[in-house]
Amino acid sequence: MSFALDLSDRMAGHAAFSDILWRLESSGAARSIPAKIETVTEPPSGEDLHKLLYCAGVFVQTDVLAYRRMAQSIALNSLIVAGGDEGAYQRGRRILTDLGNFPALDCVRREGVETGASFLDALRRTLSRELNTVRVGDQWIPLTDFQKDTWDELPDARAIAISAPTSAGKSFLVIEHLCRQIERAASFCAVYVAPTRALLSEVNAKIQRRLGEAVDVRITTVPTQDASGPARQVFVLTQERLQVLLAASAVTFDLVIVDEAQNLSDGSRGMILQDSVEQAVSRSGTTRLVLLAPGARGFEAVGASLGAPDLTVARSELPSVLQNRIQLKKAEVGNALELDLLTPDGPRRLGTYRSGRGFDVPDSRLAAAALELGSTGGSLVYATGPTDAEKVARQLAHDLEDGGDPAVATISDFVRKHIHPDYTLAGMIRKGVAFHYGKMPTLLRETLEGAFREGHVKFLVCTTTLFEGINLPARNVFIDTPTRGTKKPLASAALWNFAGRAGRMSSDIVGNVFLVNYEDWPDKPLDAFVGYEVQSAFLRTASEVPDRLLGALGGAMPTESPHDEDAGRVRAAAGLLISKAARDEVRGYVDRTLGSLDEGLRNRLTEASLAAHEKIGLPATLLATNWTVDPFGLRRLYDNMLEKVAEEKTLKLIPISPLGKGAYDRYGKIFTRIHREVNRGDVGFAGLVSGIALRWMRGVPYPVMLAKAVERQKRYDDKRREENRIERERNPGSRVRDPGEIVVDDVVRREFDLIEDQVRFRFVQLGKAYIDILNIVLERRPIKLDHKRRIPRRRCISGIRLV
């Protein structure tokens, strides 16, 4: 045991230490809240404060995370509460220097000459800062110790996983590393894999800004190679787009970066990610792999399944800012909230906040607490879904006034013009309030994110869309439930990831996570840190539901349903195995990726996969990029097409121009055929989606599409009212109820969901599969015209895509 560790143990074990530390941390937390808190403890005296700072100076010399975390807490809280104590200010900065936390150090730097700093302190700080500083474009930026250690490791790492808290600057490092590799190479190809279009857009913009006007570098989010393009290319793709690129080309990569790599555990999309990354890495022995994730473990095991058994891990569990977790509950008497600070020893009373605002109604307590305690620095407020987000945002906006900010006035006008005049977002954003969910159009979502970053939007009510990926930290985070959607529990790691957005590195030294009604939560997920456990989604599926997987391979493919969380991953795992069987790779793949499972189970899965492929009988090239679609459904679609060809109705299978005459009828029948044969789905739903898809393909603007949706809802409601009137006349005792007035927000939300989820995602996948099968059918049974001349396949469908 080192002398510093032995001394730290003695200091931390002293009878008075924990009491003085609590008085410092509670005082710092109370002062970080813009509202006046009636605290129950006094701040530490000047003498006690300096004792703590002396202890922190010893703690920081150890390698023990708990002591280094304690040292940072003491330093940052001292800087919050010390006021004019120059000695405390200088000692706090010295500890931050020893921790290598230069972003926080810059945040607390005072203007003017540092007259209180000793020459040795100033020299040590300058040298340490210079050692941690790197050039980014035309700027010199100091890194944290973790960032600098990782930065030094990146150039030589064959495969590396970087795990650190949210907003620790992971993606910043990797994007800069990527850009430097591009600048130094004559020929270079990289792919940056991001799980969502929102993150895709953000990363693409960052790379574009960093590389500036370099005309000899192609940066694209489109999964196609440009043979005539420059020798240096960067693809920024979702895992689905990477899958398409790999299937359509022989591209090899110098560098593969996977952001939010904990999504390897995420059902069907995790399987697509794993399979695509494995393919990308296997194509060249020189490809380098970088995985990024917030506070995740288990990468070593996953590395082997990705073809990177030598994967190393760079890990940090120390955030660069203070993150106070504060429990809020309604006081028993009066309009007040009681605040408890969560500590390693449990919640401790911080104080009471009194207000003229009432907190009695549980349904509006989240909004009331946010208005009172989150008025500065930007507040993210969690909502369980889009409907809940709109409701909480309306509650927030109710008591606020239009601030006259021209920036949000411009956004308001944009929303009225380009979404719908009656969309409530247009009015509330003028008050500095907005809601945000994943199915919004990309441009609108990015506009709201930018307005929040720049401080024009003070309160952003969001769903789980902001739990990962997008760099959108805030001073405050408000959460009142550990659930999502229809009361489904959220993973503890996801909650911690969202809570980690409290506190903005390089802008703040503190962030607050307010937990409303936390004492009533069935579990207490934020009592102690829980990180992501990264595990192959394919392995998890095979080990957790092997019987369902074997059944799916036998043809009993489960129907996707919101009430069956296993159905999607079972379908994907079965499709993946069948695609591997089609390429005669299934036995090796199963042994490599499921090596920890019983040999008998592995053999049964292998044999079932081979039997399924033989029964389906579709080409490996088709299954390679369409395995997330039911392979048995693809066979049904193939057989249906063959029937139409035999009936000499081949032309009716081929999509026509969306602008052409008869397009609505043609696409309605195509969508119905796809949905009926592949998904065994409702043909009425397919007809609805086909109409929306056709308008989208024709480039119909959002306001026109949404106005049509409102009119469609009005016609439906009028029809119901007429049916109800007839029913009441026939049966005076009938209790049928007429629909209420149309709520435009509800219609817009449903339309967004159909466009973003069904048209732009699900039916794009289904449409691609349809075209691939149509290609096969026409290759085997070319079209015959009346004069008996065969038309080459290429002339029939060249350049035609469904969506």
Side-chain angles (χ1 to χ4, degrees), residues 196-199 202 379-394 396 423 425 428-429 433-453 457 459-472 498 501 749 752:
T196 64
R197 288 198 300 271
L199 183 54
E202 181 181 8
S379 294
L380 293 174
V381 184
Y382 171 62
T384 57
T387 305
D388 189 39
E390 293 167 2
K391 182 194 76 173
V392 175
R394 283 193 291 269
L396 286 164
Y423 195 36
L425 178 63
M428 66 177 61
I429 199 169
V433 178
F435 52 81
H436 179 291
Y437 48 82
K439 303 299 173 59
M440 283 179 161
T442 301
L443 180 59
L444 175 59
R445 201 172 54 237
E446 291 178 351
T447 299
L448 298 177
E449 292 160 10
F452 183 77
R453 285 192 189 96
V457 169
F459 299 94
L460 185 62
V461 188
C462 61
T463 63
T464 54
T465 305
L466 288 186
F467 274 34
E468 61 183 36
I470 303 171
N471 182 28
L472 202 69
F498 183 54
R501 300 208 175 279
R749 187 190 330 111
F752 283 166

Side-chain angles (χ1 to χ4, degrees), residues 637 640 644 653 669-677:
L637 181 59
N640 178 267
K644 295 301 177 186
L653 297 174
K669 289 178 179 177
I670 288 175
F671 274 54
T672 297
R673 178 175 293 110
I674 293 172
H675 201 45
R676 182 187 64 235
E677 301 298 333

